[in-house]
Each structure stands twice: as C-alpha cells, then as structure tokens.
Amino acid sequence: INAEYMGLTQGGLRLGNTHRGVPGASEDSGAGHCWAMFLRTESGDRDTQRLKEIVEFVEYSLHPTFDPSTVQADQPPYWLERVGWGTFQVGITVHWKPATGCPPTSLKHDLCFEGSGSSAVKVIS
C-alpha cells in the first residue's frame, strides 16, 4: 500500500501503544498496567479523514488470556484499551475498504510497558 497512492500526506502509519502503571496494583491482581494500542497516520489529525476512507477496520489479536482475544476497532486512531500485567506481541490486521482493491495487511507490535509506551512508523508498500 503506497502512501501516495492512498492519498496520505506522509509515508507511513504510526503503530504503537500507550502505557501507564495502575497505582497500588500488584502482579497478583492481574491489573498492574493500563495500556492502549493505536494505529494512526504519521501526520496525525491531518490525514484522519482519509484514513476513514481507506480503512474498513483494524483487528487486534491479543494474548489468549484476554477474553475476547480478537478485537476490532473501526474509527481512527483505532484505539483499543486494556488492563493487564505482562507484555506480549500484538498481532494487527488492517482491513482496507474494498474500493482500495488491497488485501488485508498484517503487522506486529511488541507491547511496551516502559515509560509511556512505544510506537514505530510502518511503511506499508
């Protein structure tokens, strides 16, 4: 998926997670960290409308201990918030609108509980 072809002003999507600790929570409680996954354009709000036009939904595949472990988000920034105790690799599938003629794109992100989280630009080509 070429950013220029898709009408995005910059060449990538920013995929990542936010993080904050839950005060007073212990690992035994299973709720020591509040985190959220997101997928947005690198240019931020400027391309949000265009993203709505080309992305049908984003599917997140979580650790099997989450119920449900597969969750869909259908509006930018494709936000998914959860509380848990450990990190894992999140599977992300971007389902493009049929008009794009593009098959789903599979990505991965290692959940990060350091600081306020992490993100990276994924150039989809």
Side-chain angles (χ1 to χ4, degrees):
I1 314 309
N2 180 292
E4 184 178 325
Y5 167 77
M6 292 298 211
L8 303 174
T9 57
Q10 292 188 10
L13 297 175
R14 182 160 292 277
L15 170 66
N17 75 275
T18 63
H19 165 262
R20 64 180 168 79
V22 176
S26 67
E27 281 194 23
D28 294 338
S29 72
H33 304 273
C34 182
W35 55 271
M37 289 294 304
F38 63 85
L39 178 76
R40 63 173 176 79
T41 64
E42 179 60 3
S43 62
D45 291 341
R46 185 172 44 203
D47 283 332
T48 298
Q49 183 57 40
R50 182 61 183 144
L51 205 54
K52 286 181 185 180
E53 294 169 0
I54 61 175
V55 175
E56 188 78 25
F57 63 92
V58 174
E59 183 177 74
Y60 294 104
S61 298
L62 308 177
H63 191 274
T65 55
F66 283 88
D67 185 21
S69 60
T70 302
V71 182
Q72 291 183 7
D74 60 5
Q75 292 292 317
Y78 306 102
W79 189 262
L80 172 70
E81 189 172 58
R82 294 291 183 265
V83 174
W85 60 268
T87 60
F88 57 93
Q89 189 172 70
V90 179
I92 300 99
T93 305
V94 180
H95 293 265
W96 305 99
K97 297 243 179 170
T100 67
C102 299
T105 300
S106 295
L107 304 166
K108 295 185 186 300
H109 176 75
D110 292 321
L111 205 55
C112 175
F113 288 172
E114 295 178 21
S116 60
S118 71
S119 66
V121 174
K122 305 290 185 179
V123 176
I124 301 173
S125 57

